[in-house]
């Protein structure tokens, strides 16, 4: 039997038609075996044109997140994606990354799923992850740092997502501090970073990234605040291509900044800066203006009373976004 991936690779690398005979020669198998694999690929959604006496030609690729499709779209040096685990359904790709992280999976492993039955946001919130509608993935990192030194990773991941979206779709994705990627005033992506550590040592770190790609609609409670790349561009998005672009950007940024710092670009992409904001602190509501991002990633807010405070966690409402009031 020819390897599925080998056949697909040959078809991908060929512009015109390739005869069954040529394929069977290159793969070292019978023409009947080639035909069987072609049928299998068609069933997986690949469009393969066949013309008598000319042979086969790849004319369409499905929105598949199979390992083969993801590998075909990886362009980085190979650390991120050294191991790819692609699942049809999982509770949460972060949970899968933790399970495999505990079992020794290497730095740079990527876990991706078509559907999450228990997709998670921060603080126990739910992340809507319907089958096929988005790119849900987690990256396992094993940096040699203290738990206090990982303050840059969520911010760096957000920049990688913005760059990946921009390069694939041309959409100007921006960041709502700390972990939301937005297009216009709606959320297209959320990031949840989780950690396994002792006081003196990080075992592993998992940025989990969810990008809405092909959703046509959202549940009513999200319709004011959520959007998808398809809703913004009108185009069908191939998740494997988007994943390849995000991982390429992630690799470049990670090699430069590690987990403790983040690119200056974060500040120029951050829509929270310069806008009126409100937040809860010590049981009270504070309003003010977001004026900066500290080196440790905290949001600096000048309150109405003129005091400057550093916000390290929690929800910050930004005027004009998600249909929320200050
Ligand atoms: C986040 O939390 O935004 C982090 C989301 C991380 C999801 C990824 S997917 C891969 C990996 N595996 C996981 O299980 N999680 C990660 P937070 O800032 O707490 O925002 C959660 C809020 O966003 C919810 O309370 C909803 O209001 C909203 N929300 C839920 N699903 C959404 C969606 N698909 N698109 C936009 N907004 C959504």
């Amino acid at each position: 039997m020819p390897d599925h991936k080998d056949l697909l690779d040959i078809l991908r690398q060929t512009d015109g038609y390739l005869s069954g005979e040529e394929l069977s020669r290159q793969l070292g198998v019978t023409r009947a075996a080639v035909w069987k694999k072609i049928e299998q690929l068609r069933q997986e959604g690949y469009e393969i044109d066949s013309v008598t006496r000319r042979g086969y030609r790849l004319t369409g690729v499905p929105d598949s997140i199979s390992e083969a499709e993801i590998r075909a779209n990886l362009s980085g040096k190979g650390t991120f994606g050294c191991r790819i685990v692609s699942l049809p359904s999982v509770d949460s790709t972060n949970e899968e990354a933790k399970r495999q992280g505990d079992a020794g999976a290497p730095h740079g492993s990527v876990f991706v799923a078509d559907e999450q039955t228990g997709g998670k946001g921060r603080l126990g919130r739910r992340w809507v992850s319907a089958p096929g509608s988005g790119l849900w993935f987690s990256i396992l990192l094993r940096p040699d740092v203290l738990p206090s030194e990982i303050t840059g990773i969520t911010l760096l991941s957000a920049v990688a997502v913005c760059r990946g979206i921009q390069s694939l779709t041309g959409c100007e994705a921006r960041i709502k501090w700390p972990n939301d990627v937005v297009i216009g005033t709606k959320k297209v992506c959320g990031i949840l970073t989780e950690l396994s550590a002792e006081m003196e040592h990080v075992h592993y770190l998992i940025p989990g990234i969810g990008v809405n790609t092909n959703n046509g609609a959202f549940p009513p409670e999200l319709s004011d605040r959520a959007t998808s790349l398809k809703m913004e561009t009108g185009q069908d998005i191939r998740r494997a291509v988007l994943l390849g672009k995000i991982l390429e950007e992630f690799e470049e940024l990670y090699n430069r900044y590690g987990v403790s710092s983040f690119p200056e670009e974060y500040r120029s992409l951050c829509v929270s800066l310069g806008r009126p904001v409100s937040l809860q602190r010590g049981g009270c509501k504070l309003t003010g203006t977001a004026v900066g991002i500290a080196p440790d990633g905290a949001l600096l807010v000048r309150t109405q009373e003129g005091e400057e405070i550093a916000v390290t966690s929690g929800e910050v409402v930004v005027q004009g976004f998600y249909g929320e009031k200050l």
Side-chain angles (χ1 to χ4, degrees):
M1 259 300 157
D3 186 309
H4 183 138
K5 186 180 156 300
D6 289 347
L7 174 55
L8 197 52
D9 282 348
I10 296 173
L11 290 174
R12 267 191 234 276
Q13 286 154 15
T14 311
D15 271 344
Y17 288 84
L18 264 179
S19 68
E21 200 177 322
E22 177 60 17
L23 282 169
S24 81
R25 197 186 58 74
Q26 286 197 29
L27 293 162
V29 298
T30 64
R31 287 177 65 173
V34 169
W35 181 83
K36 207 164 165 189
K37 273 292 171 192
I38 294 269
E39 281 312 300
Q40 209 167 320
L41 285 171
R42 282 182 172 144
Q43 264 161 32
E44 287 174 28
Y46 291 89
E47 288 164 29
I48 300 168
D49 193 23
S50 60
V51 176
T52 324
R53 275 196 284 278
R54 292 179 75 188
Y56 302 101
R57 188 166 77 100
L58 184 66
T59 54
V61 176
D63 176 25
S64 156
I65 51 159
S66 66
E67 185 183 343
E69 204 46 53
I70 292 170
R71 288 218 177 278
N73 285 286
L74 282 185
S75 56
K77 299 221 167 48
T79 311
F80 298 100
C82 58
R83 176 143 183 253
I84 294 167
V85 177
S86 174
L87 301 164
S89 179
V90 73
D91 48 357
S92 148
T93 55
N94 272 28
E95 291 301 317
E96 184 64 25
K98 281 192 231 168
R99 287 188 287 267
Q100 298 211 23
D102 288 338
H107 172 76
S109 300
V110 172
F111 304 87
V112 55
D114 199 51
E115 171 193 40
Q116 298 186 115
T117 52
K120 300 187 299 181
R122 294 176 300 159
L123 308 167
R125 288 187 281 237
R126 202 164 74 88
W127 182 256
V128 172
S129 332
S133 63
L135 175 60
W136 328 123
F137 72 104
S138 305
I139 308 173
L140 182 74
L141 305 173
R142 295 189 184 276
D144 188 12
V145 295
L146 297 173
S148 57
E149 294 173 330
I150 58 154
T151 48
I153 192 63
T154 302
L155 311 197
L156 180 150
S157 304
V159 173
V161 171
C162 284
R163 286 188 183 180
I165 290 178
Q166 168 106 41
S167 99
L168 180 65
T169 67
C171 271
E172 298 202 342
R174 296 282 180 264
I175 300 163
K176 178 176 170 292
W177 183 91
N179 67 322
D180 291 359
V181 175
V182 298
I183 298 180
T185 60
K186 292 182 173 178
K187 178 162 171 171
V188 72
C189 162
I191 301 170
L192 170 68
T193 302
E194 296 189 86
L195 175 71
S196 163
E198 294 164 30
M199 293 294 280
E200 301 287 314
H201 174 65
V202 168
H203 299 302
Y204 56 75
L205 186 61
I206 303 169
I209 299 177
V211 188
N212 300 319
T213 53
N214 292 316
N215 318 53
F218 287 95
E221 69 278 11
L222 288 183
S223 57
D224 277 350
R225 51 192 306 149
T227 190
S228 72
L229 295 178
K230 170 133 190 196
M231 287 159 88
E232 295 297 325
T233 63
Q235 284 164 12
D236 289 316
I237 303 296
R238 276 173 50 209
R239 291 168 294 171
V241 182
L242 180 62
L243 178 57
K245 299 229 178 276
I246 295 175
L247 289 179
E248 182 185 342
E249 299 294 349
F250 187 89
E251 179 163 327
E252 206 242 309
L253 292 167
Y254 187 86
N255 289 342
R256 197 125 59 99
Y257 298 95
V259 296
S260 314
S261 63
F262 58 91
E264 179 59 30
E265 192 179 338
Y266 183 93
R267 295 188 172 87
S268 55
L269 289 170
C270 183
V271 294
S272 313
L273 295 181
R275 287 203 159 80
V277 296
S278 70
L279 58 122
Q280 295 289 329
R281 202 174 234 218
C284 300
K285 182 167 160 182
L286 285 180
T287 52
T289 305
V291 291
I293 311 279
D296 67 356
L299 183 70
L300 303 173
V301 174
R302 179 157 312 122
T303 66
Q304 270 177 340
E305 291 70 38
E307 188 196 353
E308 190 168 295
I309 59 168
V311 184
T312 52
S313 62
E315 219 48 57
V316 174
V317 174
V318 178
Q319 191 167 57
F321 285 78
Y322 303 172
E324 289 176 329
K325 298 250 158 21
L326 287 190

